[in-house]
Amino acid sequence: MTQASPPTRPAPSGWVILDKPVGLGSTQAVAAVKRNLREAGYGKKVKVGHGGTLDPLASGILPVALGEATKLTGRMLDASKTYEFTVRFGEETDTLDLEGAVIATSDVRPTRGQVEQALPQFTGPIEQIPPAYSALKIDGQRAYDLARAGEEVALKARRVTVFALSLEHFDETEGATLLAKVSKGTYIRSLARDIAQALGSCGTVTMLRRTQAGPFDLSHAISLDKLNETGKGAPLEQILLPLEAGLDDIPAIDLDPEQARAVRQGRVLTGSPHEDGLYWARQGNVPVALVELSGGDVRVVRGFNLTDVAE
């Protein structure tokens, strides 16, 4: 007699914050989360998405959203991020990192003082040209596909913001290790290229690590080994952050049962005393919706189907 399969567990909602290792792509990391969920008995229908691609050669914070938290991945993509990166001077590759072929060299090796003096001009709103090897589209095709095919890639400069930029370590041989907090759309490889050029040299990124993405930093992150423990029977709760952890950067408003019912139905609440802006609405400890307040009116931006979930 065939033994019945154990029942599928209720689909979880929340965040798994991976400390992605070098060599693993973002898509592969998401696949690893899905695999462990299946092995842990959550079935194949759990929605999973990530909040910002990391190149295989980069490591660090990769927010992975489960269930209802996938409704917030767009916010995560728009959030500011912090990177630690090393620029080695004297060579520039076509990919601006160690994966590419050398296309330019320079005998100029900037000093620590020269690097420090150059950083203020790259702080604040700046214009930068994205790397040819990027996921941006040109006439419907990815720039990196065109570049790999040997075609000339001409991307337009775009305005981004570098909120903070500091020199963390300097070595005459290995180069400068910098820490940058940046707005969405900022390419660290382009920033490294431009800093090197401003110093009369050329450079390439030899190390790139994301240390913060939106409200998440390395204190929230787990290793792949820790993730894999879930597939072997460890409780998901030991690695899963609640959905509202992705909303720590905005204030919450509390709803009574009648208000929560109205918001779940998509109705507008009137007469709110709160200031205009973005909030997350909750009933008790359960997130109800991401809402926008304007002139005392509360309108739903994204609703969360968590009424039966005990948070």
Side-chain angles (χ1 to χ4, degrees), residues 156-173:
K156 295 180 180 178
R158 47 203 272 171
R159 196 168 184 81
V160 298
T161 301
V162 178
F163 300 109
L165 181 62
S166 60
L167 178 63
E168 299 295 298
H169 179 73
F170 184 83
D171 182 272
E172 291 183 358
T173 302

Side-chain angles (χ1 to χ4, degrees), residues 4-309:
S5 299
T8 302
R9 297 181 181 182
S13 288
W15 299 92
V16 173
I17 311 303
L18 281 182
D19 186 347
K20 188 191 80 64
V22 171
L24 191 73
S26 298
T27 301
Q28 293 171 302
V30 169
V33 173
K34 290 181 178 179
R35 184 188 70 249
N36 277 279
L37 289 173
R38 289 195 303 271
E39 293 173 352
Y42 290 95
K44 298 181 179 180
K45 294 186 178 181
V46 180
K47 292 183 290 184
V48 182
H50 67 75
T53 301
L54 266 183
D55 292 340
L57 290 183
S59 68
I61 297 292
L62 181 68
V64 180
L66 310 184
E68 291 295 289
T70 57
K71 295 176 178 178
L72 298 174
T73 52
R75 283 196 78 244
M76 201 59 58
L77 293 172
D78 291 342
S80 64
K81 297 175 177 66
T82 301
Y83 295 89
E84 185 178 21
F85 62 103
T86 299
V87 190
R88 187 172 64 202
F89 300 105
E91 289 185 344
E92 180 180 318
T93 67
D94 52 4
T95 60
L96 302 178
D97 59 25
L98 292 176
E99 195 174 36
V102 175
I103 58 171
T105 60
S106 172
D107 293 330
V108 176
R109 299 293 186 274
T111 64
R112 182 189 187 100
Q114 289 171 330
V115 172
E116 290 176 327
Q117 289 176 2
L119 298 186
Q121 66 181 289
F122 294 98
T123 306
I126 63 171
E127 297 276 336
Q128 71 168 200
I129 298 175
Y133 284 82
S134 67
L136 295 176
K137 288 188 176 181
I138 302 174
D139 296 329
Q141 291 185 277
R142 298 287 186 188
Y144 56 65
D145 288 332
L146 296 172
R148 286 169 184 156
E151 296 188 32
E152 186 174 343
V153 176
L155 293 167
K156 295 180 180 178
R158 47 203 272 171
R159 196 168 184 81
V160 298
T161 301
V162 178
F163 300 109
L165 181 62
S166 60
L167 178 63
E168 299 295 298
H169 179 73
F170 184 83
D171 182 272
E172 291 183 358
T173 302
E174 297 301 323
T177 298
L178 306 169
L179 189 68
K181 182 175 183 178
V182 299
S183 69
K184 70 169 183 174
T186 304
Y187 281 91
I188 297 299
R189 288 174 291 151
S190 292
L191 182 61
R193 173 200 63 203
D194 296 345
I195 291 171
Q197 289 179 356
L199 290 164
S201 184
C202 56
T204 195
V205 172
T206 60
M207 184 278 291
L208 177 59
R209 180 162 174 76
R210 185 155 69 194
T211 60
Q212 174 261 336
F216 301 120
D217 59 32
L218 290 170
S219 70
H220 301 106
I222 62 164
S223 65
L224 276 182
D225 287 342
K226 188 73 171 178
L227 171 66
N228 291 335
E229 290 177 9
T230 303
K232 297 174 182 176
L236 179 63
E237 291 73 23
Q238 74 174 7
I239 65 168
L240 186 69
L241 300 178
L243 177 147
E244 59 267 29
L247 299 170
D248 271 0
D249 54 341
I250 61 173
I253 58 172
D254 292 302
L255 306 177
D256 61 35
E258 185 177 343
Q259 291 172 325
R261 190 178 307 111
V263 169
R264 289 190 178 104
Q265 293 171 353
R267 289 188 276 145
V268 176
L269 300 182
T270 59
S272 173
H274 299 283
E275 295 181 1
D276 292 356
L278 192 66
Y279 294 78
W280 66 279
R282 63 190 177 192
Q283 181 187 0
N285 293 323
V286 179
V288 176
L290 191 65
V291 297
E292 185 79 39
L293 267 70
S294 178
D297 291 344
V298 181
R299 289 181 169 81
V300 176
V301 176
R302 295 302 302 265
F304 305 125
N305 186 25
L306 293 172
T307 52
D308 297 324
V309 177

